[in-house]
Structures are given as structure tokens and as C-alpha cells.
Coordinates of all heavy atoms in Angstrom, one line a residue:
L1 N 42.8 -54.7 -45.2 CA 44.1 -54.6 -45.9 C 43.9 -55.0 -47.4 O 44.5 -54.4 -48.3 CB 45.2 -55.5 -45.2 CG 45.8 -55.0 -43.9 CD1 46.7 -56.0 -43.3 CD2 46.6 -53.7 -44.2
L2 N 43.1 -56.0 -47.6 CA 42.9 -56.5 -49.0 C 42.2 -55.4 -49.8 O 42.4 -55.3 -51.0 CB 42.1 -57.8 -48.9 CG 41.9 -58.5 -50.3 CD1 43.2 -58.9 -50.9 CD2 41.0 -59.7 -50.1
A3 N 41.3 -54.7 -49.1 CA 40.6 -53.6 -49.8 C 41.5 -52.5 -50.3 O 41.1 -51.7 -51.2 CB 39.5 -53.0 -48.9
V4 N 42.7 -52.5 -49.8 CA 43.7 -51.5 -50.3 C 44.2 -51.7 -51.7 O 44.5 -50.8 -52.4 CB 44.9 -51.4 -49.3 CG1 46.0 -50.5 -49.8 CG2 44.4 -50.9 -47.9
Y5 N 44.2 -53.0 -52.1 CA 44.8 -53.4 -53.4 C 44.1 -52.7 -54.6 O 44.9 -52.2 -55.4 CB 44.7 -54.9 -53.5 CG 45.8 -55.7 -52.8 CD1 45.5 -56.4 -51.7 CD2 47.1 -55.6 -53.2 CE1 46.5 -57.1 -51.0 CE2 48.1 -56.3 -52.5 CZ 47.8 -57.0 -51.4 OH 48.8 -57.7 -50.7
P6 N 42.8 -52.7 -54.7 CA 42.2 -52.0 -55.9 C 42.6 -50.5 -55.9 O 42.9 -50.0 -57.0 CB 40.7 -52.1 -55.7 CG 40.6 -53.4 -54.8 CD 41.7 -53.3 -53.9
F7 N 42.7 -49.9 -54.8 CA 43.1 -48.5 -54.7 C 44.6 -48.3 -55.2 O 45.0 -47.4 -55.8 CB 42.9 -47.9 -53.3 CG 41.5 -47.7 -53.0 CD1 40.9 -48.7 -52.1 CD2 40.7 -46.7 -53.4 CE1 39.5 -48.6 -51.8 CE2 39.4 -46.5 -53.1 CZ 38.8 -47.5 -52.2
I8 N 45.4 -49.3 -54.8 CA 46.8 -49.3 -55.2 C 46.9 -49.4 -56.7 O 47.7 -48.7 -57.4 CB 47.6 -50.4 -54.5 CG1 47.7 -50.1 -53.0 CG2 49.0 -50.5 -55.1 CD1 48.4 -51.2 -52.2
L9 N 46.2 -50.4 -57.3 CA 46.2 -50.5 -58.7 C 45.7 -49.3 -59.4 O 46.3 -48.8 -60.4 CB 45.3 -51.7 -59.1 CG 45.8 -53.1 -58.8 CD1 44.8 -54.2 -59.2 CD2 47.1 -53.4 -59.5
G10 N 44.6 -48.7 -58.9 CA 44.1 -47.4 -59.5 C 45.1 -46.3 -59.4 O 45.3 -45.5 -60.4
A11 N 45.8 -46.2 -58.2 CA 46.8 -45.1 -58.0 C 48.0 -45.3 -59.0 O 48.5 -44.4 -59.5 CB 47.2 -45.1 -56.6
V12 N 48.4 -46.6 -59.1 CA 49.6 -46.8 -60.0 C 49.2 -46.5 -61.4 O 50.0 -45.9 -62.2 CB 50.0 -48.3 -59.9 CG1 51.0 -48.7 -61.0 CG2 50.6 -48.6 -58.5
F13 N 48.0 -46.9 -61.9 CA 47.6 -46.5 -63.3 C 47.5 -45.0 -63.5 O 48.0 -44.5 -64.5 CB 46.2 -47.2 -63.5 CG 45.8 -47.0 -64.9 CD1 46.5 -47.6 -66.0 CD2 44.6 -46.4 -65.2 CE1 46.0 -47.4 -67.3 CE2 44.1 -46.2 -66.5 CZ 44.8 -46.8 -67.5
F14 N 47.0 -44.3 -62.5 CA 46.9 -42.9 -62.6 C 48.3 -42.2 -62.6 O 48.5 -41.3 -63.4 CB 46.1 -42.3 -61.4 CG 46.1 -40.8 -61.2 CD1 45.4 -40.0 -62.1 CD2 46.9 -40.3 -60.3 CE1 45.5 -38.6 -62.0 CE2 47.0 -38.9 -60.1 CZ 46.3 -38.1 -61.0
A15 N 49.2 -42.7 -61.7 CA 50.5 -42.1 -61.6 C 51.3 -42.4 -62.9 O 52.0 -41.5 -63.4 CB 51.2 -42.7 -60.4
A16 N 51.1 -43.6 -63.4 CA 51.8 -43.9 -64.7 C 51.3 -43.0 -65.8 O 52.1 -42.5 -66.6 CB 51.7 -45.4 -65.0
A17 N 50.0 -42.8 -65.9 CA 49.5 -41.9 -66.9 C 49.9 -40.5 -66.7 O 50.2 -39.8 -67.7 CB 47.9 -42.0 -66.9
A18 N 49.9 -40.0 -65.5 CA 50.4 -38.6 -65.2 C 51.8 -38.4 -65.6 O 52.2 -37.4 -66.2 CB 50.2 -38.3 -63.7
V19 N 52.7 -39.4 -65.2 CA 54.1 -39.3 -65.6 C 54.3 -39.3 -67.1 O 55.1 -38.5 -67.6 CB 54.9 -40.5 -65.0 CG1 56.3 -40.6 -65.6 CG2 55.0 -40.3 -63.5
F20 N 53.5 -40.1 -67.8 CA 53.6 -40.1 -69.2 C 53.2 -38.8 -69.8 O 53.8 -38.2 -70.7 CB 52.7 -41.3 -69.8 CG 52.7 -41.3 -71.3 CD1 53.7 -42.0 -72.0 CD2 51.6 -40.7 -72.0 CE1 53.6 -42.0 -73.4 CE2 51.6 -40.7 -73.4 CZ 52.6 -41.4 -74.1
G21 N 52.1 -38.2 -69.3 CA 51.6 -36.9 -69.7 C 52.6 -35.8 -69.5 O 52.9 -35.0 -70.4
Y22 N 53.3 -35.9 -68.4 CA 54.3 -34.8 -68.0 C 55.5 -34.9 -69.0 O 55.9 -33.9 -69.6 CB 54.7 -35.0 -66.6 CG 55.9 -34.0 -66.2 CD1 55.6 -32.7 -65.9 CD2 57.2 -34.4 -66.3 CE1 56.6 -31.8 -65.6 CE2 58.2 -33.6 -65.9 CZ 57.9 -32.3 -65.6 OH 58.9 -31.4 -65.3
F23 N 56.0 -36.1 -69.1 CA 57.2 -36.2 -70.0 C 56.9 -36.0 -71.4 O 57.7 -35.5 -72.2 CB 57.9 -37.6 -69.7 CG 58.8 -37.6 -68.5 CD1 58.2 -38.0 -67.3 CD2 60.1 -37.1 -68.5 CE1 59.0 -38.1 -66.1 CE2 60.9 -37.2 -67.4 CZ 60.3 -37.6 -66.2
A24 N 55.7 -36.5 -71.9 CA 55.4 -36.3 -73.3 C 55.2 -34.8 -73.6 O 55.8 -34.4 -74.6 CB 54.1 -37.1 -73.6
T25 N 54.5 -34.1 -72.8 CA 54.3 -32.6 -73.1 C 55.6 -31.9 -72.9 O 56.0 -31.0 -73.6 CB 53.2 -32.1 -72.3 OG1 53.5 -32.3 -70.9 CG2 51.9 -32.7 -72.6
H26 N 56.4 -32.2 -71.9 CA 57.6 -31.5 -71.6 C 58.7 -31.8 -72.6 O 59.5 -30.9 -72.9 CB 58.1 -31.9 -70.2 CG 59.4 -31.1 -69.7 ND1 59.3 -29.8 -69.3 CD2 60.7 -31.4 -69.7 CE1 60.5 -29.4 -69.0 NE2 61.3 -30.3 -69.2

């Protein structure tokens, strides 16, 4: 379960960057 945390952090960082990219270009 603890090994899930780094993946969660990476996924959150990726999702935030993707959302920023979408709204910035749109």
C-alpha cells in the first residue's frame, strides 16, 4: 500500500500539468 504513494504523487503532478495544458491552450 505504501508503494502506491509515489505513483499517486506522480499521477497528481501529471494530471495537474495536463489540466494546465488543456485550459491554457483552450
Side-chain angles (χ1 to χ4, degrees):
L1 285 172
L2 186 60
V4 173
Y5 280 110
F7 292 100
I8 293 176
L9 288 177
V12 169
F13 185 62
F14 168 76
V19 168
F20 178 83
Y22 175 81
F23 279 95
T25 55
H26 185 76

